[in-house]
Amino acid sequence: MRGVAGEYPLDAATTFAVGMALANWVRDHPAAASRESGPEVVIGPEVVIGPEVVIGPEVVIGMDTRESGPSIAGYVAGGLASRGVKARFAGLITTPGIAHVTRTGPFAAGVMISASHNPYRDNGIKIIDHSGFKLPDDDEHALERDIFAFLEAGVHAEPTRLEVDEGLDSEYIEHLAATLPAGLSGMRIVVDAAHGAASFLAPALFERLGAEIECIGCEPDGRNINLNCGSLHLEGLRERVLATSADIGVAFDGDADRALFVSHSGKIIDGDAVMLVTALRLQAAGRLTEVIATVMSNLGLERALRRHGIGLVRTPVGDKYVLQEMLRRKAPLGGEQSGHIIFRDYATTGDGLLTALRVFEAVRESGQDLDALTRELEIYPQLLVNVRLKNKRPLEDLVAANREIRVAEAEFGDAGRILVRFSGTEPLARVMVEGPDSKRVEHFANTIAAAIQAELG
């Protein structure tokens, strides 16, 4: 769920109903794991461990820095409590942090309150099950049916007062630190946390590992999340890296599930470059033969990987599809150009802090900076043109558009890509053209878009 905080579906009644519906789901899906010792016996919605320890159904709730977060958390917790499910509050934590805590703790589900890279007025609710993955579609539909049923019957929304359990986010930081035992001693890093969920966790993690940190975008006030900072606005980070001669800069988005980087020289390092750097390390360790990425990843990544004998498998746009394909092919690495990278050896979702550690590790252990590590990645010019539609017809029925696509494909050969698809949420056709020459890319993008406009616009 995502929208303007305080308005449907993020109003008090609906968020309370979310808690009620989630409580029903929890009762049907008891937490089946605990880190405590002793034999485990599952009894209804409770998990009994050993002769004395009883863990009832629990849900962990976390949030980013938006001013609306505590209120939404309170109403979700109130809905849970109204149906006998306890909520524990992690307070300020990243989305992948909630996924980790849910998976490793005695929680049937986790709730993250965030709108990621959106402005502060927006907020959202993400639900994660005990496995650390997002809920399957069927479970989401069942939750929706319950939410609507509760709202139709009438909801008396009473929020629960929540106290932060300080141990939850610290356990997550220790987990991340353990993935880099060599530490970061002597490395100088500029961190832009987007005034978001990583504002305190990122400096704590990197300093815990011995790095020297300068932090920008680490002073949240409830309203400045993503405001001219973070992974969507790299200008300030680049300026500080160059001004301080730092080794590297890293920028997160509001909930820190993705990360982008700036090299010592000021070069922007996106998700495609990160996948190349980390894929080569995994290949050298005998762990990787292919990378999973979306149709939007640059052709330059595909060609650079091919030179090393690594395949690139493309999925539709969205981390959900990347993860599905990773699980199907047992691939350890996948991600998106936006910096949302999934390392399946360590996590069930994209994690900006984890991505940063893997990039820092590559720099430290190779003895090379990011400029050198990404030198062979040639970024092909890429242009995306949106065409607003009056109606939709199958793309194969568009005679003129297909003629223009064939002309472009014939000219580019295997040195270019043309992708035309309908938006799933808006009345748009998206035309993406990629090739070695920016003028020809622009020409073909516009001619294909014009043909679609003439037939459907």
Side-chain angles (χ1 to χ4, degrees), residues 60-61 88-93 101 162-174 200-201:
V60 61
I61 300 176
R88 283 170 64 187
F89 190 39
L92 184 61
I93 194 171
V101 169
L162 295 169
E163 298 291 336
V164 176
D165 185 334
E166 301 287 355
L168 295 174
D169 61 359
S170 60
E171 193 279 328
Y172 169 58
I173 290 299
E174 289 305 310
F200 309 115
L201 296 180

Side-chain angles (χ1 to χ4, degrees), residues 206-220:
F206 302 150
E207 288 176 351
R208 156 89 169 69
L209 290 168
E212 180 184 332
I213 301 298
E214 176 175 345
C215 201
I216 62 176
C218 296
E219 298 179 353

Side-chain angles (χ1 to χ4, degrees), residues 266-314:
K267 178 182 176 181
I268 304 300
I269 307 296
D270 68 6
D272 285 348
V274 169
M275 283 189 279
L276 175 62
V277 170
T278 53
L280 294 180
R281 289 179 54 76
L282 286 167
Q283 183 195 43
R287 293 276 299 111
L288 177 142
T289 58
E290 59 188 11
V291 173
I292 314 300
T294 76
V295 293
M296 294 308 296
S297 275
N298 197 271
L299 181 61
L301 172 63
E302 185 173 333
R303 293 195 145 200
L305 290 171
R306 187 187 305 159
R307 286 194 290 272
H308 293 272
I310 301 172
L312 183 70
V313 178
R314 294 184 183 271

Side-chain angles (χ1 to χ4, degrees), residues 149-193:
F150 285 131
L151 289 174
E152 186 175 350
V155 168
H156 178 64
E158 288 287 344
T160 292
R161 181 178 178 84
L162 295 169
E163 298 291 336
V164 176
D165 185 334
E166 301 287 355
L168 295 174
D169 61 359
S170 60
E171 193 279 328
Y172 169 58
I173 290 299
E174 289 305 310
H175 156 71
L176 290 174
T179 72
L180 190 56
L184 296 170
S185 179
M187 181 172 277
R188 293 178 298 124
I189 302 167
V190 181
V191 177
D192 183 348

